[in-house]
Amino acid sequence: MEIKTVGVLGAGTMGNGIAHVFAKSGYKVILCDVEQRFLDRGLATIQKNLEREVSKAKITAEQRAAALKSIHPVTDRQQLAACDYIVEAVSEKLDIKTQVFRELDRICRPEVILSSNTSSISITKIAALTRRPEKVIGMHFFNPVPMMKLVEIIRGLATSDATYQTAKTLSEKLDKTPVEVHDSPGFVSNRVVMPLINEAIYTVMEGVATPEAVDEVFRLGMAHPMGPLTLADFIGLDVCLDIMRVLQDGLGDPKYRPCPLLIKMVDAGWLGRKSGRGFYKY
């Protein structure tokens, strides 16, 4: 089946970035979220990022206009029935994804592939919620989506070769580099980076160093483009906590226990850059 119209569910940081790259690559995009204000915010971000690409001569003003024109914001999920491919980018919580995938399975045509941008949750478990487990796959983009080349492609136990090939080819058409990984909690990226962030938070909690000092060690000593605590703020401390809990539950190893300071900060609403306060103030 030729893919012409792509549905992106969720207009937040990841969803609007995913909509951006599909629209820029010539696809019609139906961008869906639960409230118009979330769509408005997402569209404003897309417009700003496209304008930045024009100013850097990466795209033309005509390409920017065409990309914006191809994005259709909706709050009614029923309109996703017109899509040939779906990318889910809602909150990293299994109960929310459960409700979403059951509804998508009912709305979308049987031949439509349902992909998830999950960064840690089992694709096998998500696929089992549907009547099309062979057509469910993980397509984990990285933030900021327009800039980052990697897409982790995660097969569930039932994912077919044809579904994998479609997701791989689609990633390449977006000028991304797909890397296949096995369905395991956190996959590769977050299984490695989240314990690093978690341990960095422990060093702050235990008074080993300040957030600034921890980040400076990694920037200057390990040549990281940003330190782990700046990265945590950028990702969102609530997202980091959700992923650590998935790792802890899925792998059953106490080394994945979320740092108490991380839990306390999330409880306080200090979620990082998006809330204006995390390890730093914004």
Side-chain angles (χ1 to χ4, degrees):
M1 178 182 68
E2 185 179 2
I3 297 171
K4 295 181 178 180
T5 302
V6 175
V8 178
L9 195 60
T13 301
M14 297 305 296
N16 71 60
I18 293 166
H20 174 141
V21 296
F22 271 106
K24 193 175 71 170
S25 299
Y27 294 92
K28 178 181 176 181
V29 178
I30 298 178
L31 179 61
C32 183
D33 213 317
V34 292
E35 293 185 32
Q36 186 63 43
R37 62 191 177 101
F38 299 143
L39 291 167
D40 292 342
R41 189 186 308 158
L43 289 168
T45 299
I46 293 170
Q47 183 166 358
K48 181 181 68 176
N49 289 338
L50 285 169
E51 287 172 354
R52 183 181 295 120
E53 290 187 57
V54 172
S55 69
K56 294 182 177 179
K58 292 184 176 180
I59 61 172
T60 65
E62 291 76 16
Q63 288 173 316
R64 175 197 62 194
L68 287 170
K69 188 176 179 180
S70 69
I71 301 173
H72 302 271
V74 302
T75 55
D76 179 10
R77 287 183 189 167
Q78 294 294 332
Q79 295 192 46
L80 295 171
C83 296
D84 306 313
Y85 192 97
I86 298 287
V87 183
E88 166 273 314
V90 302
S91 299
E92 191 69 355
K93 295 182 184 297
L94 181 59
D95 57 342
I96 295 175
K97 293 188 189 295
T98 294
Q99 185 269 329
V100 164
F101 270 84
R102 284 177 174 160
E103 188 170 2
L104 289 173
D105 190 40
R106 178 181 58 80
I107 292 170
C108 297
R109 303 188 308 277
E111 65 271 22
V112 172
I113 291 171
L114 307 179
S115 74
S116 175
N117 183 58
T118 179
S119 57
S120 60
I121 296 172
S122 168
I123 297 301
T124 299
K125 186 176 291 187
I126 291 172
L129 301 168
T130 74
R131 294 164 295 179
R132 63 181 88 194
E134 75 285 355
K135 292 186 178 295
V136 176
I137 195 163
M139 207 174 179
H140 179 209
F141 292 83
F142 288 75
N143 186 31
V145 179
M147 294 175 58
M148 302 295 278
K149 287 288 189 180
L150 177 63
V151 179
E152 276 185 315
I153 304 290
I154 307 101
R155 291 185 190 234
L157 187 62
T159 304
S160 70
D161 290 342
T163 295
Y164 167 75
Q165 193 58 50
T166 298
K168 178 177 182 292
T169 300
L170 201 54
S171 301
E172 291 166 344
K173 287 181 177 179
L174 299 178
D175 195 28
K176 302 298 183 187
T177 302
V179 176
E180 182 182 0
V181 303
H182 292 297
D183 188 17
S184 179
F187 315 130
V188 171
S189 56
N190 282 323
R191 182 166 177 174
V192 175
V193 77
M194 283 303 163
L196 168 64
I197 288 172
N198 198 53
E199 197 63 29
I201 298 171
Y202 269 110
T203 65
V204 173
M205 185 184 78
E206 294 170 1
V208 178
T210 65
E212 293 82 0
V214 172
D215 282 348
E216 199 80 339
V217 166
F218 278 85
R219 284 196 316 104
L220 300 181
M222 288 89 171
H224 288 205
M226 65 176 75
L229 301 176
T230 300
L231 178 59
D233 276 357
F234 185 68
I235 293 168
L237 300 187
D238 53 336
V239 176
C240 294
L241 179 57
D242 286 341
I243 295 170
M244 286 306 301
R245 284 173 168 159
V246 168
L247 292 172
Q248 183 182 31
D249 293 344
L251 297 169
D253 192 317
K255 72 181 180 181
Y256 298 110
R257 180 175 69 94
C259 178
L261 177 58
L262 173 60
I263 296 170
K264 187 179 293 185
M265 291 176 74
V266 171
D267 286 345
W270 297 3
L271 307 182
R273 186 180 293 269
K274 62 187 174 185
S275 71
R277 183 167 186 174
F279 287 96
Y280 301 94
K281 291 183 179 179
Y282 301 91

